[in-house]
Amino acid sequence: MSEKKEVLHVGIDLGTSRSSISASNGQRHVIESYVGWPLDMVAKRVLKKPVLIGREALENRSMLDLHRPLEEGLIKDGSEKDEAAVRELLRHLLGLVGVDPDNRNGMPVRAVVGVPAEALRVNKQQVRKALQNAVDNLLIVSEPFAVAYGIEALLHTMIIDSGAGTTDFCVMNGRLPTEEDQRTLPQAGDFIDEALMRLIRGRYPEAKFSIHMVREWKEAGSFVGPPKNPVVVTAPVNGKPTQLDISQEMRQACESILPPMVESMLDLLSRVQPEFQEKVRNNIVLSGGTGLIRGLGPRLEAELQVVGGGKVRVVKDPIFVGSDGGLAIAIDAPDSDWERLSA
Amino acid sequence: MANVDRVKRQLLRDLVQENVDLVEGRLPRTLRKGRYWPLAVRLLAVAVLSVALLGSSRLIALWLIPQQTEPPHAATARSPRVPAKVAAVSLPETPLLTSAPQPVDAAVFPLAVHTVVIDAGHGGGSTGTRTPQGTLEKDLTLDIAQRLQRLLVQQSFQVVMTRDADRDVSLKERGALANRIGADIFVSIHLNWIENRRSGGLETYYMGPTDDPYLTRLAASENRESGYSLADMRRLLDRIYAGVRQEKSRKLAETVQGALFQSLGKLSPEIQSRGVKTAPFIVLLTTDMPAILAEVSSLSNEEEARLLTKPLYRQYIAEALAKGIRAYAGGAEETTPEAVAAARNTAARKESR
Ligand SMILES: Nc1ncnc2c1ncn2[C@@H]1O[C@H](COP(=O)(O)OP(=O)(O)OP(=O)(O)O)[C@@H](O)[C@H]1O
Ligand SMILES: [Mg+2]
Ligand SMILES: [Zn+2]
């Protein structure tokens, strides 16, 4: 591969809550998947930008028409705004690694973009459209496949990628995953946030807090199974900062995703060819932000006992696994293949 | 690790092919079932199709377009068709197979069923049921109907919608439309409301009489804006016959119910199949083709109502409906017989309680 001409390869993971990019020039970036347009002329003048992305958008949300275009892991079709938002996200990510999507005179760019496992053709076409002219060649992959490729878990493995909008399951058996090898559940991080919010409201009706606070509490204290330490947070009650014990609620909310997760995991396993089932059971990889819930990996492992036991490995630093996997695919794909995939 | 490299090479090749298929508007191989059909079977399929579709303009397209007789790998590599670059740039707004000069894959082309009428329940002044949070049945049915429309069009069906916006369309008009255009099947989408039953779940109806008071109530509420007089109703009821159409409707209902249960059961393990039933819904009575009414989830069930607010869940419903329709159209066993049996059994068990 030494005589490869100068080309920039990038891998992009488009997530519900976070999107990341890894490039062959060594740059790696992650942003929150928010896009906002100034609501009016005043906002435009104050913000001095036609569009804001990521944390900056979130922080200025009162002045913005704010979008999180990949809720549920799907481009919310029907809305041109969400399509435009995806385009802005992608262009912004490319900008972060030094690609000017409007001035494509520089190095040719080959991009691999990961989309949710069950994203439909409509959505893949939308991603394609969004990247038209911004890159030279484009390859769309399913997100769990990119993860599997990145960690070389390609044969007799199961990837469980639990993010914000969806939990994606994918069995890798050496070929491209088909419909039967994959599942997507709407139970993931956002689902837990909503459940936790409801539960805390129920117990402390006077307390004031937002979904963003709830998410932060969750990320700091999430767990399933028997509690180790109490989870105590601070929120205003009748105007006074008050300590609230939310251990029970935290556990219940986090465990609410367990039944469908276990069901899907076992169901997919049962469809693996019998001679490979044990191998797959012992090669389960849990990735994504929601995979970081304390005790989740061991709990899934325990649930495997009924079918003869197995191993669940948790990806400790899940932020870039998807985009790194995409980058690996981009670099490995032969030039002749890339040439068939003009954007 | 030569082995890993070999696997990687194969995967990359397949991945690229899948993307090329996508660009060129073909159904990706990972979504196709039968893989590669022998040439003879393909030719036979084309012949059968031509008979089935005689007179249709699509027929001409079918004959003119060279059928794919090799694995797509080889076929696209030296295909005389538009090169990928041009295809990508000239993709229409909605990149669908209907736009004439695109290749039609005979393996996915539905036999016998050509035109599907999708009926999004309610609309306009008729809101249907609603949740305490204010989610309206009419909005959800339209969204699901539109998702289903996209899926079916991609799969080369001709699709006609009884409504494409939030507007009033009488039940009479809905059936009349389907009859006028000579639709092959009619699929009406509704959401259930089950009083005093926290259970919720899915059920699919085809035309027929019922003596279940619950169903009579349900039919009455779905029939409210029918635009028919009582005398008309009687006459229509006379049309309930145990003919071929009813048998086909039953088959369609079973296939769709099976697909719905199989697919939604994975998302929400608690969901119940309430089975396939008959009831005198007007939309089913007035149509001349096999017709079903699917209650694709229940707004009365808190969990289902919450899931229904999520696009992914609605997409799942649409996909399951499409899968059921495709399976019925192809007479294929895409929905496993077990799923159909399971859908039937849970219903039977309920009924016997
Ligand atoms: N320690 C933690 N415990 C529980 N949840 C966490 C933790 N850290 C992050 N999360 C959650 O993980 C989710 C983000 O994960 P990730 O970045 O994998 O999602 P995404 O890729 O944006 O979403 P998706 O894959 O669904 O499109 C958020 O819901 C976040 O709150
Ligand atoms: Mg993700
Ligand atoms: Zn209804």
Side-chain angles (χ1 to χ4, degrees):
Chain A
M1 302 265 159
S2 53
E3 77 262 78
K4 238 179 190 166
K5 61 175 183 282
E6 280 292 300
V7 172
L8 184 70
H9 291 102
V10 301
I12 295 176
D13 171 3
L14 273 182
T16 307
S17 74
R18 284 181 307 205
S19 297
S20 56
I21 187 165
S22 305
S24 56
N25 60 12
Q27 298 253 22
R28 261 168 150 206
H29 297 272
V30 60
I31 59 173
E32 285 174 88
S33 307
Y34 287 98
V35 177
W37 289 272
L39 276 170
D40 49 32
M41 278 315 291
V42 180
K44 206 174 257 175
R45 206 151 293 146
V46 174
L47 298 166
K48 296 191 184 68
K49 279 182 190 169
V51 56
L52 278 72
I53 314 275
R55 185 126 286 257
E56 198 185 12
L58 192 58
E59 277 161 5
N60 292 292
R61 63 177 170 275
S62 60
M63 281 183 279
L64 298 172
D65 173 16
L66 191 69
H67 288 248
R68 202 184 177 203
L70 292 152
E71 220 118 68
E72 313 291 319
L74 292 172
I75 297 178
K76 287 181 279 176
D77 38 10
S79 151
E80 276 165 35
K81 260 291 157 64
D82 284 325
E83 236 176 278
V86 170
R87 184 162 45 249
E88 294 296 347
L89 267 185
L90 287 166
R91 294 164 70 86
H92 183 79
L93 285 167
L94 286 168
L96 289 175
V97 300
V99 178
D100 178 356
D102 296 315
N103 179 20
R104 305 290 356 282
N105 296 324
M107 236 189 257
V109 179
R110 294 176 175 172
V112 172
V113 179
V115 299
E118 301 213 351
L120 304 143
R121 293 213 304 149
V122 194
N123 266 271
K124 292 183 186 159
Q125 299 280 19
Q126 282 167 330
V127 169
R128 228 168 224 293
K129 231 166 83 191
L131 272 185
Q132 240 167 53
N133 309 324
V135 299
D136 297 86
N137 309 84
L138 174 63
L139 190 56
I140 296 174
V141 304
S142 99
E143 187 50 37
F145 176 76
V147 171
Y149 197 95
I151 58 178
E152 298 209 329
L154 297 169
L155 208 50
H156 312 311
T157 59
M158 181 189 289
I159 309 292
I160 305 177
D161 179 16
S162 191
T166 59
T167 299
D168 289 347
F169 296 76
C170 179
V171 170
M172 293 298 306
N173 47 22
R175 55 162 198 201
L176 220 50
T178 65
E179 219 178 346
E180 286 93 83
D181 303 326
Q182 311 191 47
R183 293 272 184 288
T184 297
L185 294 175
Q187 284 94 352
D190 288 351
F191 182 93
I192 296 176
D193 298 347
E194 285 167 32
L196 188 54
M197 178 109 173
R198 273 199 309 273
L199 289 166
I200 303 177
R201 278 255 162 76
R203 174 143 168 217
Y204 303 105
E206 314 281 84
K208 290 257 178 305
F209 50 88
S210 71
I211 191 82
H212 301 283
M213 291 163 73
V214 169
R215 186 170 303 144
E216 277 167 27
W217 295 341
K218 175 196 71 176
E219 289 173 11
S222 66
F223 71 99
V224 298
K228 276 216 178 98
N229 312 302
V231 180
V232 180
V233 298
T234 309
V237 177
N238 300 323
K240 266 207 327 266
T242 310
Q243 300 225 310
L244 313 172
D245 184 318
I246 59 165
S247 314
Q248 247 335 94
E249 289 71 22
M250 183 67 79
R251 175 177 181 176
Q252 206 183 327
C254 291
E255 290 186 350
S256 71
I257 63 168
L258 275 172
M261 264 184 102
V262 171
E263 216 259 356
S264 295
M265 176 177 76
L266 296 179
D267 177 48
L268 265 186
L269 274 173
S270 73
R271 284 156 201 271
V272 172
Q273 279 182 302
E275 64 262 49
F276 298 129
Q277 285 191 1
E278 193 182 340
K279 274 197 173 150
V280 176
R281 280 205 311 274
N282 284 299
N283 273 303
I284 297 179
V285 177
L286 178 61
S287 90
T290 299
L292 295 176
I293 292 177
R294 186 161 56 73
L296 183 57
R299 175 60 180 269
L300 292 177
E301 210 169 273
E303 298 284 348
L304 289 168
Q305 285 308 325
V306 290
V307 290
K311 283 211 170 55
V312 177
R313 177 158 68 92
V314 180
V315 176
K316 284 283 176 299
D317 182 12
I319 292 182
F320 291 107
V321 275
S323 54
D324 284 354
L327 176 59
I329 292 171
I331 292 171
D332 286 354
D335 288 346
S336 56
D337 278 347
W338 271 119
E339 272 144 28
R340 299 171 65 196
L341 291 164
S342 313
Chain B
M1 300 271 5
N3 189 27
V4 172
D5 286 340
R6 196 169 42 78
V7 171
K8 279 187 175 176
R9 266 200 306 279
Q10 182 60 49
L11 281 167
L12 288 175
R13 217 171 308 140
D14 290 349
L15 181 64
V16 169
Q17 185 59 48
E18 189 190 61
N19 272 259
V20 171
D21 284 352
L22 181 76
V23 172
E24 296 185 353
R26 253 172 293 133
L27 195 62
R29 280 188 310 148
T30 39
L31 287 180
R32 290 184 214 157
K33 277 285 150 86
R35 297 275 149 151
Y36 318 121
W37 296 44
L39 178 60
V41 176
R42 279 172 170 273
L43 286 177
L44 183 65
V46 173
V48 172
L49 275 171
S50 353
V51 176
L53 303 174
L54 214 69
S56 147
S57 60
R58 184 176 297 256
L59 171 63
I60 299 153
L62 258 180
W63 277 118
L64 293 183
I65 291 156
Q67 292 300 301
Q68 201 182 307
T69 54
E70 292 168 84
H73 274 256
T76 28
R78 26 188 156 92
S79 164
R81 266 189 252 113
V82 257
K85 179 124 202 164
V86 179
V89 175
S90 62
L91 272 177
E93 268 302 287
T94 29
L96 308 170
L97 286 172
T98 39
S99 40
Q102 294 222 4
V104 174
D105 187 336
V108 300
F109 199 83
L111 291 165
V113 176
H114 182 209
T115 306
V116 179
V117 169
I118 304 175
D119 175 43
H122 309 278
S126 162
T127 54
T129 58
R130 80 162 71 207
T131 62
Q133 291 77 36
T135 314
L136 298 178
E137 179 181 356
K138 65 168 184 179
D139 296 330
L140 295 169
T141 57
L142 181 59
D143 177 272
I144 295 166
Q146 286 169 334
R147 288 170 190 272
L148 176 61
Q149 176 189 28
R150 277 193 291 273
L151 291 170
L152 291 179
V153 167
Q154 277 170 34
Q155 293 160 20
S156 308
F157 287 90
Q158 193 84 52
V159 177
V160 176
M161 309 280 282
T162 56
R163 68 177 176 102
D164 209 2
D166 182 16
R167 64 186 185 90
D168 285 287
V169 183
S170 77
L171 296 177
K172 194 174 179 174
E173 284 172 64
R174 296 175 196 237
L177 168 77
N179 293 340
R180 197 165 60 240
I181 62 162
D184 297 306
I185 56 175
F186 180 93
V187 177
S188 184
I189 300 170
H190 285 257
L191 290 157
N192 229 340
W193 181 273
I194 301 167
E195 264 167 78
N196 304 327
R197 304 188 196 190
R198 298 203 46 193
S199 46
L202 322 158
E203 54 196 2
T204 307
Y205 291 89
Y206 62 104
M207 161 209 68
T210 181
D211 43 16
D212 179 338
Y214 155 69
L215 291 185
T216 311
R217 252 200 329 278
L218 179 63
S221 85
E222 300 285 22
N223 288 345
R224 198 163 295 137
E225 317 87 18
S226 71
Y228 279 101
S229 72
L230 213 64
D232 286 337
M233 288 275 241
R234 286 241 171 70
R235 209 163 28 73
L236 285 168
L237 279 166
D238 288 341
R239 292 182 49 175
I240 300 177
Y241 53 89
V244 177
R245 184 166 83 89
Q246 195 179 18
E247 186 49 32
K248 284 194 176 163
S249 298
R250 185 184 59 77
K251 188 150 174 275
L252 176 60
E254 279 180 355
T255 320
V256 166
Q257 174 72 11
L260 274 172
F261 183 54
Q262 193 179 36
S263 167
L264 298 189
K266 276 170 208 147
L267 274 190
S268 148
E270 270 108 83
I271 207 156
Q272 296 174 12
S273 170
R274 303 169 54 83
V276 168
K277 297 172 181 173
T278 56
F281 292 114
I282 293 282
V283 280
L284 302 184
L285 283 171
T286 51
T287 46
D288 291 337
M289 69 291 313
I292 59 168
L293 184 149
E295 304 270 5
V296 294
S297 281
S298 300
L299 275 175
S300 48
N301 180 283
E302 209 184 307
E303 169 73 0
E304 286 170 43
R306 204 184 50 72
L307 282 171
L308 277 164
T309 63
K310 305 195 170 269
L312 183 67
Y313 186 74
R314 299 196 298 271
Q315 187 66 40
Y316 249 86
I317 294 175
E319 281 185 58
L321 290 169
K323 204 167 173 176
I325 290 167
R326 208 165 58 216
Y328 169 84
E333 294 290 286
E334 274 206 50
T335 306
T336 61
E338 297 94 275
V340 175
R344 249 191 235 149
N345 289 341
T346 21
R349 250 183 284 127
K350 279 234 173 57
E351 230 95 75
S352 63
R353 270 197 218 132

